[in-house]
Amino acid sequence: MGNAQCCDGKVTGTTEEVSSVSNAQEKASGPVEPRPTHTYPSGSSYTGEWIGKARHGRGVQVWSDGAKYDGCWENDKAHGFGRFEHTDGDVYEGEWRNDKAHGKGTYSHASGSKYIGEWQEDKQHGHGEESWPDGAKYVGQYKVGLKEGEGSFSWADGSAYQGQFFQNDIHGVGVYSWEDDRKFEGHWDKNRMSGQGKFTWADGRMYQGEYDNDQK
């Protein structure tokens, strides 16, 4: 059915990296003020706005390994809109809440695959669109980083599926169309035809009945 795989579905390691250099223990209070670049003992540096000892406002943090966050901060955490550049070339740009990707955002992999959509607690969650360099594309629902709910997947070879997904698998009721005009409409179990369904061929032949593990 094609071999495109799901993107990671999370901004791995960002939370730990952002919070690991924090010195603030209490909620920041006071005026927001810009300050000169501050360099931490680890080699990481922050340039931007502060409230007391907390990064707060607009700022840029660069880690010693080359990772970089440029965006909004609140009470010493990435919060609001920001861009995080990973050392492997992956980039997340979008909304943050308490050091995690949360809201709407785009995750671009160095490999060329991309996810555009909703996030919750560093994971794809809600509606999103995912695409791969070979032309494969998924549009639909995600739950805790996995394709789950209603969605459509089109493969580079011309085949396509419209229907239900569960934990990244074709699972439930849906329609799968092959590039040679074959079509199956019915029930699926972990990427296999299973249960009641109708299979049609381009020459007009048709079978309707029970399937088990892709077999009639």
Side-chain angles (χ1 to χ4, degrees):
M1 296 181 188
N3 56 10
Q5 296 181 347
C6 181
C7 292
D8 290 341
K10 58 182 179 180
V11 188
T12 308
T14 305
T15 303
E16 181 179 357
E17 291 171 344
V18 171
S19 61
S20 64
V21 294
S22 173
N23 292 318
Q25 300 296 323
E26 300 177 356
K27 185 174 178 61
S29 62
V32 176
E33 57 180 1
R35 297 178 191 168
T37 298
H38 176 78
T39 302
Y40 296 89
S42 64
S44 301
S45 65
Y46 173 78
T47 305
E49 297 176 317
W50 299 75
I51 288 183
K53 295 182 178 180
R55 295 162 292 183
H56 193 103
R58 182 80 184 187
V60 179
Q61 178 139 337
V62 180
W63 282 261
S64 58
D65 63 1
K68 178 181 178 181
Y69 174 79
D70 183 350
C72 297
W73 298 78
E74 184 176 302
N75 198 42
D76 221 37
K77 295 183 178 181
H79 193 99
F81 189 88
R83 174 185 172 94
F84 191 94
E85 301 175 4
H86 293 265
T87 56
D88 60 5
D90 289 359
V91 175
Y92 171 79
E93 186 167 13
E95 296 175 312
W96 295 76
R97 189 175 75 178
N98 293 329
D99 273 345
K100 295 181 180 181
H102 192 98
K104 294 182 179 179
T106 299
Y107 194 108
S108 303
H109 288 258
S111 64
S113 57
K114 179 183 289 188
Y115 171 83
I116 303 173
E118 296 177 309
W119 295 78
Q120 181 175 292
E121 297 287 317
D122 260 357
K123 296 182 183 293
Q124 299 153 308
H125 190 90
H127 186 270
E129 300 182 13
E130 197 164 359
S131 58
W132 290 264
D134 65 357
K137 184 176 182 179
Y138 171 81
V139 179
Q141 295 297 309
Y142 288 80
K143 184 176 181 180
V144 196
L146 301 174
K147 300 176 190 68
E148 188 162 322
E150 290 291 327
S152 62
F153 203 122
S154 57
W155 283 267
D157 63 6
S159 57
Y161 172 79
Q162 173 74 49
Q164 297 175 325
F165 288 79
F166 181 71
Q167 296 185 352
N168 273 354
D169 289 330
I170 291 174
H171 191 91
V173 178
V175 180
Y176 194 103
S177 304
W178 283 262
E179 66 278 11
D180 60 3
D181 290 331
R182 288 177 296 144
K183 180 186 292 186
F184 176 79
E185 305 174 56
H187 291 262
W188 297 79
D189 184 6
K190 296 181 179 178
N191 299 320
R192 295 182 179 276
M193 296 177 285
S194 183
Q196 277 289 326
K198 181 173 71 172
F199 202 111
T200 56
W201 286 260
D203 61 8
R205 288 179 296 142
M206 185 268 287
Y207 169 81
Q208 185 164 358
E210 286 284 334
Y211 278 81
D212 183 18
N213 197 30
D214 273 347
Q215 302 296 317
K216 293 184 282 186

